[in-house]
């Protein structure tokens, strides 16, 4: 759903589907759509995009560099 950092990771209808919080009907509609068209070209592309997005956003080496930079900045600012 469109809460927290989820919209930063999932791009609606590109790498997943976002629904409004507190809207069970919208959620049900999206789930039905996904189930009905699971092997369609659109859903296959969304699945592919989602996998690439996760690889890009959560690459272990990238995350390590970002945390190292954050910790270095934090420690450097304390001195």
């Amino acid at each position: 759903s469109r809460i927290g950092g989820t919209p930063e990771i999932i791009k609606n209808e590109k790498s997943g589907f976002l629904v409004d919080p507190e809207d069970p009907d919208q959620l049900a509609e999206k789930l039905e759509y996904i189930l009905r068209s699971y092997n369609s070209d659109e859903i296959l592309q969304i699945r592919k995009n989602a996998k690439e997005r996760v690889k890009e956003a959560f690459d272990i080496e990238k995350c390590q560099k970002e945390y190292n930079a954050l910790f270095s900045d934090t420690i450097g600012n304390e001195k």
Side-chain angles (χ1 to χ4, degrees):
S1 64
R2 291 183 176 95
I3 57 172
T6 304
E8 294 172 22
I9 301 297
I10 297 173
K11 302 303 177 201
N12 194 37
E13 297 184 7
K14 301 265 188 263
S15 60
F17 294 98
L18 296 171
V19 295
D20 295 324
E22 308 295 327
D23 190 341
D25 292 332
Q26 189 180 39
L27 176 60
E29 287 173 15
K30 288 296 179 187
L31 289 172
E32 283 182 36
Y33 175 74
I34 292 166
L35 292 172
R36 286 191 178 132
S37 55
Y38 189 73
N39 289 316
S40 70
D41 289 341
E42 177 190 15
I43 298 298
L44 292 173
Q45 185 63 51
I46 289 172
R47 289 166 49 193
K48 180 181 174 186
N49 293 344
K51 185 176 180 179
E52 290 301 315
R53 179 69 180 124
V54 168
K55 283 183 182 179
E56 173 189 304
F58 300 106
D59 175 71
I60 190 70
E61 291 177 8
K62 179 182 174 190
C63 290
Q64 179 186 11
K65 288 177 186 176
E66 290 175 357
Y67 277 116
N68 285 344
L70 174 66
F71 294 145
S72 293
D73 289 347
T74 302
I75 292 170
N77 289 335
E78 288 182 4
K79 292 181 180 181

